[in-house]
């Protein structure tokens, strides 16, 4: 059905519509003039703004759409009526009646579009033609149901579909009906069935049915390439893709399940036939996107076909390498033969896809090699493994089908290194080749099941080679600089560290070698940021391993671990890069925390560890840009003293607070000298409060007089010092503690005096106090203001 009439008819309709509009406009103008003459007040009517008038609502459905819906519904209803007549009323007529009715209706339906086209009713002609095509199908069904009941249904359906396709094609090519759009696509749709149904009827088997599908798809491809743009090309394209995909999947399944070279060869022939059809379509394709996709399918089909031939005779481990060889050969053939650019691009993508799938198949072996040794963490120093496979698969299953994985990785790495020449992709290809070659090299000892020491040596050499390459190779910015090589070296070293856990000597030797190796790499400027934390980390692990190997307790091993923070502090002091210094100090701090954690079980050793850590922190605080570390050093010194006192059983709070207060006061004095504007509360308040307040709390619960007297003397001294130097914090803290301490000492006597006084004495004393305060209120206020001003002038 169509939406547009012929040009001559359309021009006539447009002229008619315009003439009607002009006549209606003249009529409206005449009516308006008569109204203006009859009504003087409207002689000059103000125009109504267009926005004030409601916009007329357009029709919800256009006329051509309504026409098409009506025609479609009419054709469907007639088709349903014909089906009902054929299935229900067929048996009530004789042979002559049946032939007469069906023949007359079919001929009439086929002939009706001719006069309709002559009158310009093309859409109606399309609807009637659709009814005629449906009637021909019913004729074929009726013929089989009455006269050919003994014929095989599949064979009859194949022949009938072929006849119908031929009839509809001829009907669509008749000069009078060539303008109809329905017959030829319908004929092409029916043409999808004869070969398939014929193969089923002939019991051609899986290969015959698959071949029929592929031949049908090839015919669709030929039609799509030769047909002009329109419904025929669309139908042919859909059929080529749909039927072709069905046939390719069947051929691929036949190739994969072939039980011998003969069957595999037949499946390969089918795949190569599909590849040839796709190549022809790509070569002559009009759209570059379709050509690239079809060429990609061609490359994959060729590899699958040739690989399927050797599939029945090759071991499982060699199937992927065989397909990879074909993929690389496809790339070589593309480079050697001149091809259209879309075809070349698609074949290159096909080769890349084959290589990528091969790499994915091989990756589990490098993953097992790198991650498998982590299982030894639960069985440290349990004994030497029998070989490389047992060493890397401590808690993981071995994969025997991946014995050829290193060959796959090396082959793809070689392709990336030598085949990629584009300036943009060359650096990335080299990084990919490096990663693939590295993974292949690590997997070789495992595949060969080399002795356990050989695996350790290989991974250590790989780590050293990667660090050397990162140090001396002229890496480009596009490839990420030396970062990829350093990252691979770190990953290898971590795997090697876990791999060394089965035996004591291997653990100590490997950790020592890694410490030295990354320590040497730290001397290279471009590697220092990553090499320093690695060297310090492996040094920490080495210290723990040495302590465990010597049979030391964890608290004694902690002293050995403290060597790492000391080295980190020295390195950070000499580092010229601020980021490197921070990295070293953070790593050293982490090692120091580990040492403190190891010494927690023994208080004396914990105190010593804290003291040594404080010394390291104090040495770091000497640097001008690390002054705040002095607070951490002070805290560590205080913690060390407290732990030591707790180990000695000391319970007096002054023993814990005085060692913390003295450094705090000293720091306050130095800070006040450097900056006199610093408040005394900031400089001296924490140090004084740290000792005075806990001692005051202890004095209030102490039954002896020694602590209160000593506390009072100290508070008096602090108060006098604050008054002498006009410092607010010592004056108020010392005075407050002194008053509270004096109240504590006088409390028993006050209680005794209160017991001798009569009951009326406290109210009388309170009244006298209020009178005295009221009498001297103004003077007292003046004195209070004076004290406030004095305290305000203090710092």
């Amino acid at each position: 059905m169509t939406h547009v009439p012929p040009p001559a008819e359309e021009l006539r309709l447009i002229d008619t519509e315009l003439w009607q509009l002009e006549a209606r406009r003249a009529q409206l103008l005449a009516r308006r003039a008569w109204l203006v003459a009859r009504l003087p007040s409207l002689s000059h009517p103000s125009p109504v703004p267009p926005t004030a008038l409601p916009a007329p609502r357009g029709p919800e459905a256009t006329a051509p759409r309504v026409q098409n819906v009506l025609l479609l519904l009419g054709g469907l209803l007639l088709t349903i009526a014909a089906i009902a007549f054929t299935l229900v009323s067929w048996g009530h007529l004789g042979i002559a009646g049946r032939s007469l009715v069906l023949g007359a209706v079919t001929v009439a339906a086929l002939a009706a579009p001719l006069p309709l086209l002559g009158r310009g009713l093309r859409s109606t002609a399309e609807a009637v033609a659709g009814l005629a095509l449906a009637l021909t199908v019913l004729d074929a069904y009726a013929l089989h149901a009455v006269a050919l009941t003994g014929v095989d249904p599949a064979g009859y359906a194949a022949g009938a579909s072929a006849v119908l396709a031929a009839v509809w094609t001829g009907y669509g090519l008749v000069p009078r009906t060539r303008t109809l759009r329905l017959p030829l696509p319908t004929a092409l749709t029916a043409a999808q069935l004869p070969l398939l149904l014929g193969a089923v009827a002939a019991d051609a088997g899986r290969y015959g049915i698959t071949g029929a599908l592929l031949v049908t798809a090839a015919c669709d491809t030929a039609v799509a390439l030769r047909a002009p743009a329109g419904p025929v090309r669309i139908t042919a394209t859909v059929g080529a893709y749909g039927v072709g995909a069905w046939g390719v999947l069947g051929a691929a399944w036949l190739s994969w399940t072939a039980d011998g070279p003969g069957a595999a060869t037949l499946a390969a022939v089918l795949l190569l036939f599909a590849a040839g059809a796709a190549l022809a379509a790509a070569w002559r394709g009009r759209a570059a996107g379709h050509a690239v996709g079809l060429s990609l399918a061609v490359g994959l089909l060729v590899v699958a076909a040739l690989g399927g031939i050797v599939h029945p005779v090759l071991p499982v481990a060699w199937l992927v390498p065989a397909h990879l060889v074909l993929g690389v050969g496809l790339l070589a053939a593309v480079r050697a033969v001149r091809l259209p650019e879309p075809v070349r691009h698609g074949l290159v993508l096909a080769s890349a896809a084959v290589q990528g799938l091969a790499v994915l198949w091989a990756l589990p072996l490098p993953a097992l090699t790198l991650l498998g040794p982590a299982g030894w963490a639960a069985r440290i120093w349990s004994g030497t493994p029998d070989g490389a496979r047992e060493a890397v698969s401590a808690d993981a299953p071995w994969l025997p089908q991946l014995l050829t994985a290193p060959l796959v990785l090396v082959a793809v790495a070689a392709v990336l290194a030598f085949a990629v020449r584009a300036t943009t992709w060359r650096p990335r290809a080299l990084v990919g080749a490096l990663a693939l070659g590295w993974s292949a090299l690590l997997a070789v000892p495992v595949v060969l099941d080399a002795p356990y020491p050989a695996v350790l040596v290989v991974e250590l050499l790989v780590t050293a080679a990667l660090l050397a390459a990162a140090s001396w190779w002229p890496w480009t910015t596009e490839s990420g600089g030396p970062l990829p090589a350093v990252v691979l070296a770190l990953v290898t070293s971590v795997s090697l560290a876990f791999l060394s856990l089965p035996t004591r000597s291997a653990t100590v030797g490997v950790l020592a070698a890694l410490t030295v190796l990354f320590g040497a790499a730290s001397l290279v400027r471009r590697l220092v940021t990553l090499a320093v934390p690695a060297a310090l980390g492996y040094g920490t692990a080495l210290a723990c391993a040495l302590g465990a190997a010597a049979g030391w307790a964890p608290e004694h091993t902690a002293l050995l671990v403290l060597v790492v923070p000391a080295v980190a502090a020295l390195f950070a002091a000499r580092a010229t890069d601020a980021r490197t210094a921070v990295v070293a100090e953070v790593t050293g701090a982490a090692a120091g925390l580990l040492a403190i954690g190891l010494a927690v079980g023994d208080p004396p050793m914990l105190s010593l560890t804290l003291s040594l850590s404080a010394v390291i922190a104090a040495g770091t605080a000497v640097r001008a840009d690390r002054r705040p570390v002095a607070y951490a050093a002070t805290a560590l010194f205080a913690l060390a003293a407290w732990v030591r006192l707790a180990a000695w059983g000391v319970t007096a709070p002054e023993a814990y607070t005085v060692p913390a207060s003295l450094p705090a006061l000293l720091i306050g004095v130095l800070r006040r000298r450097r900056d006199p504007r610093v408040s005394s509360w900031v400089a001296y308040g924490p140090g004084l409060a740290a000792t005075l307040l806990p001692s005051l709390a202890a004095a209030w619960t102490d039954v002896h007089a020694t602590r209160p007297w000593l506390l009072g003397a100290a508070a008096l001294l602090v108060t006098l010092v604050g008054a002498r130097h006009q410092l607010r914090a010592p004056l108020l803290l010392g005075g407050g503690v002194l008053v509270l301490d004096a109240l504590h000492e006088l409390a028993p006597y006050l209680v005794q005096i209160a017991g001798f006084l009569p009951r009326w004495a406290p109210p009388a004393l309170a009244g006298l106090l209020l009178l005295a305060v009221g009498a001297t209120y103004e003077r007292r206020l003046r004195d209070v203001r004076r004290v406030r001003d004095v305290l305000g002038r203090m710092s």
Side-chain angles (χ1 to χ4, degrees):
M1 292 182 289
T2 179
H3 298 282
V4 181
E9 181 67 18
E10 184 180 3
L11 181 60
R12 186 183 64 80
L13 292 175
I14 291 175
D15 291 339
T16 302
E17 291 289 338
L18 290 175
W19 181 82
Q20 292 177 355
L21 289 175
E22 290 294 336
R24 180 59 177 168
R25 184 173 182 273
Q27 181 183 0
L28 292 175
L29 289 175
R31 181 63 178 173
R32 182 179 182 278
W34 181 83
L35 290 173
V36 170
R38 294 292 300 270
L39 298 177
S41 60
L42 296 179
S43 58
H44 299 285
S46 59
V48 180
T51 55
L53 297 176
R57 186 174 181 179
E60 295 182 355
T62 60
R65 181 172 298 178
V66 174
Q67 164 194 301
N68 292 338
V69 171
L70 294 177
L71 293 175
L72 178 62
L73 290 176
L76 289 176
L77 291 176
L78 289 175
T79 303
I80 293 172
I83 294 174
F85 170 77
T86 304
L87 297 179
V88 178
S89 301
W90 181 260
H92 300 288
L93 299 175
I95 297 296
R98 299 172 188 173
S99 303
L100 181 62
V101 170
L102 278 180
V105 172
T106 303
V107 171
L110 290 174
L114 299 177
L116 292 175
L117 290 173
R119 294 178 176 271
L121 302 177
R122 184 174 178 180
S123 298
T124 306
E126 293 279 3
V128 176
L131 174 62
L133 298 179
L135 289 175
T136 55
V137 177
L138 294 177
D139 289 341
Y141 166 76
L143 181 62
H144 180 268
V146 174
L148 302 174
T149 55
V151 179
D152 178 55
Y156 179 79
S161 59
V163 172
L164 289 175
V167 170
W168 293 345
T169 301
Y171 184 73
L173 294 178
V174 173
R176 294 290 302 274
T177 58
R178 185 173 295 176
T179 57
L180 295 176
R181 298 186 178 186
L182 193 59
L184 290 180
T186 307
L188 190 57
T189 303
Q192 311 299 312
L193 300 177
L195 291 179
L196 175 61
L197 296 177
V200 174
D203 197 12
R206 297 179 298 173
Y207 291 91
I209 294 174
T210 304
L213 290 172
L214 293 176
V215 171
T216 303
C219 295
D220 291 334
T221 303
V223 174
L225 292 176
R226 297 180 62 88
V232 176
R233 181 190 292 181
I234 294 175
T235 305
T237 302
V238 172
Y241 279 114
V243 179
W246 189 8
V248 166
L249 290 177
W253 176 254
L254 293 175
S255 177
W256 182 257
T257 58
D259 54 0
T265 303
L266 289 177
V269 170
L270 294 175
L271 290 173
L272 291 176
F273 176 80
L279 180 61
W283 200 290
R284 299 186 56 186
R286 300 177 178 88
H290 285 279
V292 172
L294 290 171
S295 301
L296 172 63
V298 169
L300 295 177
L301 288 174
V302 170
V303 171
L306 300 180
I309 295 177
V310 297
H311 174 262
V313 298
L314 283 179
V316 177
W318 289 94
L319 289 178
V320 173
H323 287 78
L324 178 61
V325 170
L326 294 173
V328 176
L330 178 64
L331 181 61
V334 170
R335 296 174 68 90
V337 180
R338 295 181 61 87
L339 298 171
E341 184 59 28
V343 176
R344 180 179 176 276
H345 189 196
L347 294 177
V348 170
L349 290 179
S351 177
V354 173
Q355 296 178 58
L357 292 174
V359 170
L360 290 178
W361 172 83
L363 281 183
L365 183 58
L368 177 64
T369 304
L370 293 172
L371 303 178
W376 291 105
R379 296 184 286 146
I380 298 177
W381 298 348
S382 58
T384 305
D386 293 336
R389 295 180 185 177
E390 183 181 352
V392 301
S393 59
D395 290 331
W398 171 242
L399 305 173
Q401 67 272 20
L402 296 178
L403 292 177
T404 56
L407 296 177
V408 171
L409 297 173
V410 170
V412 178
V415 171
L416 290 175
F418 297 106
V420 180
R421 295 296 180 183
T423 306
T424 304
W425 293 98
R426 178 69 176 169
R428 303 171 189 175
L430 291 178
V431 173
L434 175 64
L436 293 176
W438 162 75
S439 58
L441 187 58
L442 292 182
V444 168
V446 180
V447 171
L448 300 178
D449 200 14
Y452 174 65
V455 184
L456 299 178
V457 172
V458 169
E459 294 202 4
L460 184 61
L461 292 177
V462 170
T463 305
L466 288 171
L467 290 176
S471 303
W472 303 108
W473 188 267
W475 299 94
T476 60
T477 306
E478 292 79 5
S479 63
L483 182 61
V486 179
V487 171
L488 294 179
L490 288 173
V491 173
T492 309
S493 65
V494 172
S495 176
L496 177 59
F498 281 110
L499 193 62
S500 66
L501 295 179
T503 63
R504 182 182 286 104
S505 58
T507 302
V508 175
V510 167
L511 291 177
L514 291 177
T515 303
V516 173
L517 195 59
F518 281 96
S522 302
L523 302 177
V524 182
R525 184 179 182 84
R526 60 164 67 178
L527 307 181
V528 65
T529 304
L530 293 178
V532 167
L536 294 176
Y538 286 123
T540 304
L542 176 62
C544 296
L546 288 174
W552 294 355
E555 54 269 17
H556 296 94
T557 304
L559 299 178
L560 188 59
V561 174
L562 282 178
V563 175
V564 176
V567 173
L570 293 175
F571 182 86
R574 298 176 59 87
T576 57
D577 185 15
R579 184 173 58 180
T580 303
V582 170
V583 169
E585 288 168 350
V586 170
T587 309
L593 291 176
L594 176 62
I596 294 172
L598 291 174
V600 166
D602 188 353
M605 292 301 299
L606 177 60
S607 175
L608 179 58
T609 303
L610 289 171
S611 300
L612 295 176
S613 301
V615 170
I616 297 172
T620 302
V622 172
R623 296 162 50 192
D625 57 340
R626 293 293 187 268
R627 298 296 189 209
V629 183
Y631 295 104
T634 303
L636 289 172
F637 274 123
L639 287 175
W642 292 351
V643 171
R644 174 58 66 179
L645 292 173
W648 286 340
V650 176
T651 58
E654 292 79 8
Y656 295 89
T657 58
V658 171
S661 296
L662 293 178
L665 292 174
L666 179 60
I667 293 175
V669 171
L670 296 176
R671 187 171 182 183
R672 287 272 298 181
R673 287 183 179 180
R674 189 168 59 250
D675 187 4
R677 294 174 299 176
V678 176
S679 172
S680 62
W681 286 107
V682 176
Y684 308 119
L688 294 174
T691 295
L692 293 177
L693 297 181
S695 297
L696 179 62
W700 275 74
T701 59
D702 196 347
V703 296
H704 302 289
T706 304
R707 176 179 279 111
W709 282 99
L710 293 176
L711 176 62
L716 178 60
L717 178 61
V718 170
T719 304
L720 294 175
V721 171
R724 170 69 180 78
H725 296 282
Q726 296 184 347
L727 298 174
R728 188 183 302 174
L731 179 62
L732 295 181
L733 282 175
V737 172
L738 181 61
V739 171
L740 293 175
D741 187 64
L743 288 176
H744 171 265
E745 292 300 309
L746 293 175
Y749 303 103
L750 294 177
V751 171
Q752 292 178 4
I753 293 173
F756 290 112
L757 291 177
R759 294 181 179 270
W760 52 268
L765 293 175
L768 291 174
L769 177 62
L770 290 176
L771 288 175
V773 171
T776 59
Y777 183 74
E778 185 177 0
R779 186 168 58 86
R780 297 305 181 190
L781 284 178
R782 187 175 63 252
D783 295 340
V784 169
R785 292 190 186 99
R786 188 178 302 163
V787 172
R788 185 188 62 186
D789 294 338
V790 172
L791 291 176
R793 288 192 296 271
M794 293 182 181
S795 59

